[in-house]
């Protein structure tokens, strides 16, 4: 699906002009408008329905994250911000990319290419090319730096007070991050991960077996499913079982 349309939203005029220059020299990308006010931008998005929104996060009146939550799936977001601590939050709205200011053209072009690929898949007429609007990786802050974790490598996640431990295939030690289980659960694709305990989220394709006492064997861990999670877990097992 080419060309794509876009709208720029940033309260810094210099940042707007830079992105406008990038759009102008990018083939198959057409600018519908630029806005320094998020409320006006939201109205324009509803009317013009752009494919792509180049969106700053820190905005007056309504910040970029709030605006992004108001969008339909037809408009995809690329965040532009000077604050890298927002990277994790960007996955809440399935942002295509997260660009740190000052935005370089090669990074901008890579983000736009992701948009082209997403919409190409979206418009494809075969099951094999059906799109997925779920992220394939998570950025998690570990020991003061951002780690890019492929979702396919996550075996299970466990909670410990104010921290979350990510257990990965091929890794002896878990990655520990200052997060809540609720926030992690919201970020992981629901068709691939299941909350089976107050302190455990598991990758369903990593389950080795489930015994008669409702204990899940996954990796080196044995997790007993308590009563509060048992109904949803048994429903899942019934749905995916062969009799």
């Amino acid at each position: 699906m080419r060309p794509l349309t876009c709208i720029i939203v940033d309260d810094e005029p210099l940042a707007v002009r830079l992105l406008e220059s990038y759009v102008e020299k990018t083939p198959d990308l057409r600018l519908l408008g630029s806005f320094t006010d998020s409320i006006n931008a939201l109205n324009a998005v509803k009317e013009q329905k752009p494919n792509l929104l180049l969106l700053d996060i820190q905005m007056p009146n309504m910040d970029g994250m709030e605006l992004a939550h108001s969008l339909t799936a037809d408009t995809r977001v690329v965040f532009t911000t000077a604050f890298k601590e927002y990277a994790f939050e960007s996955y809440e709205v399935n942002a295509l990319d997260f660009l740190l200011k000052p935005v370089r053209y090669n990074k901008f072009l890579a983000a736009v290419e992701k948009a082209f690929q997403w919409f190409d898949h979206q418009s494809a007429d075969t099951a094999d090319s059906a799109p997925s609007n779920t992220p394939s990786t998570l950025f998690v802050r570990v020991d003061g730096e951002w780690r890019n974790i492929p979702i396919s490598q996550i075996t299970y996640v466990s909670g410990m007070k104010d921290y979350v431990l990510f257990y990965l295939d091929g890794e002896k030690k878990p990655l520990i991050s200052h997060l809540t289980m609720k926030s992690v659960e919201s970020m992981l694709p629901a068709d691939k991960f299941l909350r089976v305990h107050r302190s455990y989220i598991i990758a369903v394709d990593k389950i080795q077996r489930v015994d008669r006492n409702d204990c899940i064997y996954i990796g080196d861990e044995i997790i007993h499913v308590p009563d509060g999670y048992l109904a949803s877990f048994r429903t899942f097992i019934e749905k995916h079982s062969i009799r």
Side-chain angles (χ1 to χ4, degrees):
M1 177 181 173
R2 300 189 185 216
L4 297 183
T5 57
C6 70
I7 282 178
I8 296 169
V9 187
D10 198 308
D11 63 336
E12 299 177 7
L14 286 176
V16 169
R17 286 197 288 272
L18 178 65
L19 291 176
E20 286 176 340
S21 71
Y22 288 172
V23 173
E24 186 177 354
K25 64 181 180 180
T26 302
D28 295 327
L29 185 62
R30 182 166 65 90
L31 182 64
L32 297 179
S34 300
F35 297 87
T36 56
D37 179 86
S38 52
I39 302 297
N40 291 335
L42 180 58
N43 292 331
V45 169
K46 289 179 178 179
E47 291 177 5
Q48 301 186 62
K49 297 179 173 57
N51 304 120
L52 189 62
L53 197 61
L54 303 167
L55 180 59
D56 187 18
I57 292 181
Q58 283 206 329
M59 300 277 294
N61 299 323
M62 175 191 291
D63 67 30
M65 201 63 68
E66 292 177 282
L67 197 161
H69 276 290
S70 305
L71 303 177
T72 66
D74 295 330
T75 297
R76 302 310 308 274
V77 175
V78 171
F79 282 117
T80 61
T81 180
F83 302 95
K84 62 182 180 181
E85 56 266 27
Y86 288 116
F88 188 80
E89 289 183 55
S90 70
Y91 283 99
E92 292 182 7
V93 292
N94 292 326
L96 284 176
D97 213 337
F98 180 90
L99 302 178
L100 281 175
K101 296 179 179 179
V103 178
R104 297 182 181 276
Y105 182 61
N106 64 322
K107 298 291 186 181
F108 173 87
L109 200 57
V112 171
E113 185 57 36
K114 288 182 182 180
F116 283 133
Q117 291 174 6
W118 192 89
F119 281 101
D120 284 345
H121 285 307
Q122 181 79 349
S123 59
D125 196 28
T126 63
D128 289 340
S129 60
S132 171
N133 61 0
T134 56
S136 60
T137 62
L138 289 180
F139 282 94
V140 177
R141 198 170 183 84
V142 179
D143 294 331
E145 64 179 18
W146 291 102
R147 291 286 300 272
N148 190 358
I149 303 176
I151 287 178
S152 61
Q153 289 187 11
I154 300 175
T155 303
Y156 65 94
V157 180
S158 68
M160 183 178 64
K161 293 186 178 179
D162 297 327
Y163 292 88
V164 168
L165 288 70
F166 293 84
Y167 291 83
L168 310 178
D169 282 337
E171 297 282 346
K172 293 182 179 180
K173 294 183 179 180
L175 298 181
I176 303 174
S177 186
H178 187 69
L179 292 167
T180 65
M181 290 291 284
K182 184 177 180 180
S183 66
V184 174
E185 183 180 13
S186 70
M187 304 305 300
L188 294 171
D191 60 330
K192 296 180 180 179
F193 289 85
L194 191 65
R195 184 83 175 263
V196 296
H197 190 284
R198 184 172 179 270
S199 301
Y200 287 95
I201 301 169
I202 62 169
V204 295
D205 64 341
K206 302 297 197 317
I207 297 175
Q208 296 158 344
R209 64 188 179 96
V210 180
D211 68 19
R212 66 184 64 187
N213 296 313
D214 298 303
C215 290
I216 300 169
Y217 293 74
I218 185 167
D220 296 325
E221 191 79 0
I222 301 174
I223 303 167
H224 179 258
V225 183
D227 291 342
Y229 294 87
L230 202 51
S232 60
F233 178 67
R234 286 178 173 171
T235 298
F236 169 82
I237 293 295
E238 289 287 335
K239 184 178 178 180
H240 293 83
S241 63
I242 299 175
R243 296 183 181 278

